[in-house]
Amino acid sequence: MLTYFAKSVAFKPHSTLPKVGAQARYLATVKGSAGRLMPAASKIRATPVSHDRATFTIRDGPIFHGKSFGAKSNISGEAVFTTSLVGYPESLTDPSYRGQILVFTQPLIGNYGVPPPARDESGLLKYFESPNIQACGVVVADAAEKYSHWTAVESLSDWCAREGVPAITGVDTRAIVTYLREQGSSLARITIGEEYDADQDEAFVDPEQINLVKKVSTKAPFHVSSSIGDLHVAVIDCGVKENILRSLVKRGASATVFPHNYPIHKVAHHFDGIFISNGPGDPTHCQETVYHLRRLMESSQVPIMGICLGHQLLALAAGARTVKLKYGNRAHNIPALDLTTGRCHITSQNHGYAVDASTLPKEWKEYFINLNDSSNEGMIHKSRPIFSTQFHPEAKGGPLDSSYLFDAYLESVNKFKNSQVVTQPYRDSRPSPLLVDLLSKERVGVVPDFLANEAAASPPAAATSPASPVVATTVATAVA
């Protein structure tokens, strides 16, 4: 028979400055690609590319003047830096960067352009980690005016403008990063325009005071099918990257993705495994998720794996504490030591918080540690198939040293599935055709802040009758 778990979600529809010429550097002379179809611009968010003067202001810190190469809009957020040499399309679309101004230490950014929003055979984005730019601003030393790559369809400048994201070039990113390393991640603003008014920079938005996970998580369940296996994993979406889903699907596990605050413990018995994704912000904002995970571990023996924020939430559910790092770890080349084997892995990371390993309960032990700052990079349960990592084993972009962890997780998932067949011979965890047919195939109701703010400012839509809800998603799972 079929048991239905219905959840209705209602959401609103998309509706005197020194001259900078000497500072702005234009070193890229590579001829741009042509002849490929470019994505359609969003009529709501797109702005013409701005080449006005721009100012990057760090609260209670230095002010940097440069030139705009993105959208003509002013924003504020937390300034963080990444030392990644490549992978700016993946980094900028990573939901973990929501609300942050991303400073690139690599001097030249944009030289290979921006690829199209193409999808693979599973319906997942090939080149991006989410459909939109998630960082609220971009800071680079030298933005390439032209680009060259066989997949490119537009420039970084055009992409930022189309997405409504301001960007500044011609600034000394070495000085910015030196300041952030000494003072820690700081609130900052990007201001576009000829006139710079310091009074406007008195108000800074602190994204750490906002539940950012609520903004990036799907508002209703969606499903990604695997054609090569019969495993079925429930993914808690705290801002899941496309390549995490791809890493599961290509290994034979179909994924049903739930909102971050879904009571997963109530439906866990219909799945072979539970996965907790990455995401942005302070993990202590996600108290609902922590509660549901605690209930899950109390009531089920299902295998669990967490990544990044998922690692922190799992630790909180287990009874440990988290701490905010001075300036975080954001790079593609951070060494992490596996304490169970003594092997070192080069990992991709993007986080500002970490688990305090000294607070782990006795049933848990450290799995990985960071060899740069000795912070915790993972934990594992001593007797149950539960583990999590602070770094990103799916690594897009970045090295694939630790991708084997997906294999280890799905091995435990398969073992659990087989054990359930012995105790419950009629149990069938495979997604029902009805579930696959009813659910969306991509995240639901997630929009960038720019669109969300415009929707909030627009007049309220006419009331919807109970017989015709704005959005109604039915999660159907086959049970014995």
Side-chain angles (χ1 to χ4, degrees):
M1 62 181 292
L2 290 175
T3 299
Y4 298 93
F5 301 94
K7 184 174 182 180
S8 296
V9 183
F11 62 91
K12 297 181 179 179
H14 291 188
S15 37
T16 304
L17 247 185
K19 291 188 176 181
V20 300
Q23 298 183 47
R25 297 175 294 151
Y26 306 103
L27 302 181
T29 58
V30 181
K31 184 177 180 180
S33 299
R36 292 178 61 85
L37 184 63
M38 294 179 64
S42 164
K43 293 181 180 180
I44 299 178
R45 305 186 66 237
T47 72
V49 176
S50 170
H51 296 294
D52 297 335
R53 294 182 179 182
T55 305
F56 178 66
T57 307
I58 300 177
R59 188 174 70 171
D60 301 325
I63 298 173
F64 299 87
H65 301 297
K67 184 175 181 179
S68 169
F69 72 97
K72 190 171 185 178
S73 61
N74 301 332
I75 56 90
S76 67
E78 182 187 21
V80 300
F81 66 89
T82 175
T83 61
S84 304
L85 302 182
V86 295
Y88 56 84
E90 294 90 344
S91 293
L92 290 173
T93 55
D94 183 347
S96 296
Y97 279 118
R98 188 65 170 257
Q100 296 179 326
I101 300 173
L102 187 55
V103 181
F104 288 89
T105 61
Q106 167 71 2
L108 179 64
I109 295 294
N111 56 310
Y112 58 89
V114 177
R119 294 182 179 269
D120 62 17
E121 62 278 3
S122 299
L124 298 169
L125 291 164
K126 284 184 177 181
Y127 308 115
F128 302 136
E129 293 307 303
S130 70
N132 298 100
I133 295 179
Q134 300 290 340
C136 64
V138 182
V139 181
V140 304
D142 180 25
E145 290 187 311
K146 296 184 179 181
Y147 60 89
S148 180
H149 195 273
W150 70 272
T151 63
V153 296
E154 62 183 329
S155 67
L156 176 60
S157 178
D158 290 336
W159 187 37
C160 288
R162 182 167 59 81
E163 291 278 319
V165 176
I168 182 174
T169 185
V171 295
D172 188 351
T173 52
R174 296 168 300 178
I176 295 172
V177 171
T178 298
Y179 180 87
L180 294 178
R181 283 184 64 89
E182 293 174 352
Q183 302 298 321
S185 298
S186 306
L187 298 185
R189 287 180 60 89
I190 295 179
T191 308
I192 310 298
E194 290 291 332
E195 298 297 329
Y196 168 67
D197 185 354
D199 292 336
Q200 294 181 354
D201 283 332
E202 292 180 357
F204 290 81
V205 175
D206 185 359
E208 296 302 316
Q209 303 304 315
I210 304 170
N211 186 348
L212 296 171
V213 170
K214 184 177 180 180
K215 291 177 174 288
V216 300
S217 176
T218 184
K219 303 305 180 287
F222 67 95
H223 183 80
V224 183
S225 295
S226 174
S227 60
I228 60 172
D230 61 355
L231 299 178
H232 192 191
V233 172
V235 177
I236 301 174
D237 177 19
C238 299
V240 65
K241 294 172 63 177
E242 295 280 293
N243 204 43
I244 287 179
L245 298 177
R246 183 180 294 107
S247 296
L248 294 171
V249 170
K250 74 179 185 180
R251 288 174 169 83
S254 295
T256 299
V257 186
F258 291 88
H260 71 100
N261 57 352
Y262 195 92
I264 197 67
H265 59 282
K266 295 183 179 181
V267 297
H269 58 286
H270 295 290
F271 296 92
D272 303 316
I274 307 295
F275 192 98
I276 317 162
S277 83
N278 64 294
D282 187 343
T284 60
H285 287 312
C286 304
Q287 291 302 314
E288 283 184 284
T289 310
V290 171
Y291 170 76
H292 295 319
L293 289 175
R294 185 178 300 119
R295 291 289 305 275
L296 172 68
M297 289 189 288
E298 291 171 351
S299 60
S300 175
Q301 295 296 313
V302 66
I304 304 173
M305 177 180 177
I307 285 179
C308 197
L309 180 66
H311 163 63
Q312 299 162 15
L313 296 178
L314 191 62
L316 290 174
R321 294 197 299 268
T322 57
V323 295
K324 183 170 176 59
L325 300 174
K326 184 176 181 180
Y327 49 81
N329 289 309
R330 299 173 180 88
H332 293 166
N333 61 345
I334 297 178
L337 179 66
D338 183 340
L339 296 178
T340 65
T341 65
R343 297 180 61 186
C344 175
H345 305 285
I346 303 301
T347 64
S348 176
Q349 301 195 18
N350 172 19
H351 61 98
Y353 289 82
V355 172
D356 182 354
S358 66
T359 65
L360 287 175
K362 61 180 181 179
E363 299 86 6
W364 299 81
K365 63 180 180 179
E366 274 197 286
Y367 195 174
F368 294 89
I369 60 170
N370 188 308
L371 291 180
N372 286 342
D373 61 11
S374 298
S375 61
N376 174 261
E377 291 287 351
M379 67 179 192
I380 186 169
H381 197 278
K382 293 181 179 179
S383 60
R384 296 174 57 183
I386 308 176
F387 72 92
S388 55
T389 66
Q390 185 62 72
F391 54 85
H392 286 264
E394 86 288 350
K396 191 175 182 183
L400 299 175
D401 294 31
S402 56
S403 62
Y404 72 91
L405 291 172
F406 282 98
D407 298 317
Y409 168 63
L410 291 178
E411 182 179 347
S412 67
V413 168
N414 192 61
K415 183 177 180 180
F416 175 78
K417 179 183 178 70
N418 292 335
S419 70
Q420 294 301 295
V421 170
V422 174
T423 59
Q424 303 177 48
Y426 298 106
R427 178 182 184 269
D428 187 358
S429 61
R430 293 174 299 179
S432 72
L434 183 58
L435 175 137
V436 175
D437 184 57
L438 287 176
L439 292 186
S440 171
K441 302 304 179 288
E442 56 186 281
R443 61 196 82 202
V444 179
V446 180
V447 297
D449 283 333
F450 189 99
L451 282 176
N453 293 339
E454 291 206 5
S458 63
T464 308
S465 65
S468 302
V470 176
V471 175
T473 301
T474 300
V475 180
T477 52
V479 294

